[in-house]
Amino acid sequence: MSARTKARKRAIDILFEAEQRGVNAAELLRERVATPVTPAPLPAYTGELVEGVVDHWSDINELLSTYSQGWSLERMPSVDRALLRLGAFEVIYRDDIPDAVAISEAVALATQLSTDESPTFINGLLARLAEVKPTLA
């Protein structure tokens, strides 16, 4: 597993935990940096991802709600919401990450962490965001 893949997985863990606990993900990130719960410190890229998702939270949720066909954000599994938010952040806001890489990473994590249907759903929704990305500016 590459360093960035591990950082993405840690970011998903924080986003998921924050939602489950009803706390702000950026605050949980700061808590994890100040008092780590694992032997390895959080990778810097994990912080960039979590902060980026939080900074664009409303816009990301609106995009996911708009382009998700037949599924409201609330109806999606919690882990899928975390994966989609992170993937959407990388696709829409990170020009240094190729869209195909961001989508592939999100799909791979969905394969490990979520339902059998999730990888296909996440792939389709993130691919749609990548497709409409030029119209969003």
Side-chain angles (χ1 to χ4, degrees):
M1 188 181 288
S2 77
R4 282 224 163 162
T5 299
K6 289 177 186 175
R8 286 180 182 98
K9 168 69 170 73
R10 300 281 299 271
I12 293 299
D13 292 344
I14 290 170
L15 293 169
F16 178 82
E17 181 183 349
E19 184 174 3
Q20 295 305 301
R21 290 178 49 198
V23 298
N24 182 285
E27 290 178 22
L28 181 59
L29 172 67
R30 284 190 285 281
E31 182 181 309
R32 291 291 180 261
V33 169
T35 311
V37 294
T38 60
L42 282 175
Y45 193 57
T46 296
E48 290 177 38
L49 292 171
V50 172
E51 289 171 359
V53 169
V54 171
D55 288 347
H56 298 282
W57 190 267
S58 296
D59 292 336
I60 289 170
N61 284 346
E62 184 177 329
L63 287 168
L64 294 175
S65 295
T66 299
Y67 292 100
S68 170
Q69 297 179 350
W71 285 84
S72 66
L73 210 52
E74 298 77 25
R75 190 172 160 218
M76 296 174 197
S78 297
V79 71
D80 288 5
R81 283 194 299 269
L83 288 160
L84 284 164
R85 287 175 177 136
L86 182 106
F89 170 71
E90 284 193 311
V91 166
I92 302 298
Y93 299 102
R94 293 296 302 248
D95 292 332
D96 61 324
I97 307 291
D99 294 346
V101 171
I103 294 168
S104 176
E105 289 283 328
V107 169
L109 286 168
T111 301
Q112 294 174 5
L113 302 173
S114 196
T115 69
D116 291 341
E117 295 80 24
S118 293
T120 302
F121 177 73
I122 287 169
N123 182 63
L125 183 48
L126 293 178
R128 180 70 178 132
L129 292 180
E131 185 180 302
V132 300
K133 178 173 148 177
T135 68
L136 300 174

